[in-house]
Structures are given as structure tokens and as C-alpha cells.
């Protein structure tokens, strides 16, 4: 009961439906899902790092060390991405 109270009703609802509204089965399903997520965590992390490194290498090869200032790169960005880039640059400058 404490576990059920500690989880939000919305969060538990999916598991209750999947478990035919059997509370104990829903908790076991919730724990199984958490363990499954944990099992994939290292693999997902490795893919994320590999993807970021690949993107970085591609940007450096195509646009050089200051790729974020290259006009060819900047011309590819939509308005929202320009704003994202400006925000990151401001954050870096503020942290010196």
C-alpha cells in the first residue's frame, strides 16, 4: 500500500490496466519495467555518447573548429535552433 501511495495515480494507472487491476501484479510489472530500463541503461548511454561524438566529428570536419560560427552551418538552422545556439553561447560566456 505504501508503494502504491508513493506512486502517482497516473503513473500506476498504466500498470493497473495492464495487470487487470490486480494491485500486486501491477507493482510486480512496475518493478519489472524498472529493471528492464536499468538493463538497457548502459547500452543507451553508449549509443548516446557515440552519436554525440559522431555528430561532433562531422561538424568539425565539415565546418571547422568554430563550426557554430560558420555561415554555411548557420544558414542550415531554423529560427528556433538559432535561438538555442545563442542561448548556449550566452550560458558559456556567463560561466567564463
Amino acid at each position: 500500500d505504501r508503494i502504491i501511495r508513493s506512486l502517482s495515480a497516473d503513473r500506476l494507472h498504466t500498470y493497473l490496466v495492464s495487470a487487470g487491476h490486480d494491485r500486486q501484479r501491477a507493482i510486480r510489472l512496475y518493478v519489472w519495467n524498472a529493471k528492464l530500463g536499468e538493463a538497457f541503461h548502459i547500452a543507451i548511454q553508449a549509443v548516446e555518447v557515440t552519436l554525440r561524438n559522431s555528430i561532433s566529428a562531422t561538424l568539425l570536419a565539415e565546418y571547422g573548429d568554430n563550426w557554430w560560427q560558420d555561415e554555411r552551418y548557420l544558414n542550415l538552422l531554423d529560427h528556433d535552433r538559432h535561438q538555442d545556439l545563442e542561448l548556449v553561447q550566452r550560458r558559456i560566456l556567463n560561466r567564463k
Side-chain angles (χ1 to χ4, degrees):
D1 285 335
R2 283 189 230 170
I3 293 172
I4 291 171
R5 283 194 305 269
S6 69
L7 300 173
S8 70
D10 289 341
R11 178 77 174 142
L12 191 57
H13 178 75
T14 301
Y15 297 96
L16 282 168
V17 170
S18 296
H21 295 278
D22 178 327
R23 292 170 66 160
Q24 294 302 316
R25 190 169 177 220
I27 295 297
R28 287 193 307 272
L29 187 58
Y30 180 85
V31 170
W32 174 82
N33 184 61
K35 288 180 179 180
L36 183 63
E38 179 184 31
F40 281 104
H41 181 78
I42 291 173
I44 291 170
Q45 184 181 23
V47 169
E48 178 190 358
V49 169
T50 302
L51 178 61
R52 280 190 283 134
N53 288 344
S54 178
I55 291 169
S56 178
T58 300
L59 288 170
L60 288 168
E62 185 69 27
Y63 303 108
D65 288 341
N66 297 324
W67 54 265
W68 62 91
Q69 296 172 331
D70 189 292
E71 284 299 318
R72 295 172 300 142
Y73 172 75
L74 294 172
N75 288 334
L76 297 173
L77 303 181
D78 64 18
H79 176 73
D80 290 339
R81 299 305 67 85
H82 274 284
Q83 287 185 324
D84 291 342
L85 184 57
E86 289 169 7
L87 174 62
V88 169
Q89 289 174 333
R90 279 195 308 274
R91 286 181 177 171
I92 291 170
L93 288 173
N94 289 338
R95 291 183 185 166
K96 299 186 190 320

